[in-house]
Amino acid sequence: MTLAQIRQLARAMIPGAKIQVIDNAAMDLILNEAVKDIASNTCCLKANKKFNVVASKFEYDLSTVITDYLAVDKSGLWWSNGTVYRPVYPRTLKWFDENRPTWRNLGNASPMEYSIDGDILTVTP
């Protein structure tokens, strides 16, 4: 199915989405967001991505370091010390605050836990 056919089908299914109301550029944006939502929820476009970290930095904007980032798969985040990979455990920022109240001031070390809020990845040693 081509993009033109998908637009035509969408307009046929939604009578108010005529081209005079929603032009092709807006329709493409709507369709693209729907596709990203489906891909994110179903994890159907899996990819294994790697990026370099910076010492003393604990927050990363995933949409910047991984430009096609959608979501983390159930396998989660893994850390490599250069020779071996080990899992980093998912938490929430609330969990960090309640269980590791000094997490923002911890020194440099391999991360043990992470949180993802939107597309901001936070790691903590």
Side-chain angles (χ1 to χ4, degrees):
M1 185 175 267
T2 66
L3 178 58
Q5 290 170 324
I6 294 171
R7 283 187 203 127
Q8 185 178 6
L9 180 61
R11 289 195 167 101
M13 294 177 75
I14 305 166
K18 300 293 181 218
I19 197 160
Q20 298 85 355
V21 178
I22 300 174
D23 65 11
N24 283 342
M27 179 64 81
D28 293 351
L29 210 89
I30 292 166
L31 293 170
N32 189 53
E33 289 304 311
V35 168
K36 287 191 324 189
D37 193 42
I38 291 167
S40 175
N41 287 319
T42 63
C43 293
C44 63
L45 299 174
K46 293 182 181 185
N48 182 0
K49 301 291 181 154
K50 298 174 184 167
F51 64 93
N52 293 323
V53 296
V54 178
S56 300
K57 184 174 178 179
F58 61 87
E59 282 189 353
Y60 297 89
D61 183 345
L62 290 173
S63 61
T64 301
V65 295
I66 303 172
T67 55
D68 59 352
Y69 168 77
L70 286 176
V72 173
D73 191 24
K74 60 184 170 190
S75 63
L77 182 71
W78 290 71
W79 175 263
S80 171
N81 64 4
T83 57
V84 75
Y85 280 89
R86 63 174 188 73
V88 184
Y89 299 101
R91 307 287 188 218
T92 63
L93 292 176
K94 181 179 178 184
W95 187 93
F96 284 163
D97 289 337
E98 291 173 353
N99 296 280
R100 306 255 192 284
T102 61
W103 68 271
R104 289 177 179 87
N105 299 320
L106 296 175
N108 295 330
S110 295
M112 295 171 44
E113 297 149 340
Y114 74 95
S115 170
I116 296 180
D117 187 22
D119 61 352
I120 301 299
L121 167 68
T122 304
V123 293
T124 182

